[in-house]
Each structure stands twice: as structure tokens, then as C-alpha cells.
Amino acid sequence: CALPISPKIEVYTTSSCPFCDAAKRLLNSKGLAFTEISVNDPEQKAELKNRTGWRTVPQIFIDGKMIGGYQELSEMNSRGFLD
């Protein structure tokens, strides 16, 4: 199952996060547009954790559905879903 023609991709990140940087590099290498949402503020992090149950970043959403973090994105790529 490939991505829709123009998926809405949101990547929640923090500064100095190597997995966030890797996720952005992967999306860019595939030519996929995404919106980066920085959650450096403790209140923003708490709000995101309450929304998803996850404490780590990146948190990646495609068309409003959380697909996970960098590992899950990388797995999608290895299965050809980002092509």
C-alpha cells in the first residue's frame, strides 16, 4: 500500500534530535513535503504526550494518523511505501 498522491505529513520534532534529523532527511530524499512542528517547550511536549501516549520524538503523522517515529518511517521506506 503506497502513500496517497499528496499525503499530509506532519513531523513533531525537538532541537538536537538525531532521529528527527534522520526522519527529515529520509522524507526529503523521497521528495515528500512535510510540515515540521517543533515541540521544544515542556508544555508542548506534555500536550503531544497526552495526545499520543509517546514521550519520544519524532512523532510522524500521515493524513492525521500517527505512523510512529523514525524506525517506523524507515520500515515503511524499506517496504516501498514511500515510493
Side-chain angles (χ1 to χ4, degrees), residues 23-73:
K24 293 184 289 184
R25 274 194 307 275
L26 178 55
L27 290 168
N28 283 326
S29 76
K30 293 295 184 175
L32 294 167
F34 62 92
T35 302
E36 180 178 3
I37 299 132
S38 178
V39 289
N40 290 310
D41 178 277
E43 287 181 21
Q44 293 171 314
K45 286 181 187 175
E47 184 179 313
L48 186 60
K49 181 182 178 280
N50 287 338
R51 179 178 166 197
T52 65
W54 281 38
R55 287 191 286 237
T56 59
V57 287
Q59 292 186 27
I60 304 165
F61 291 78
I62 298 177
D63 289 334
K65 180 181 177 200
M66 184 174 161
I67 60 111
Y70 174 71
Q71 284 185 296
E72 290 79 9
L73 183 68

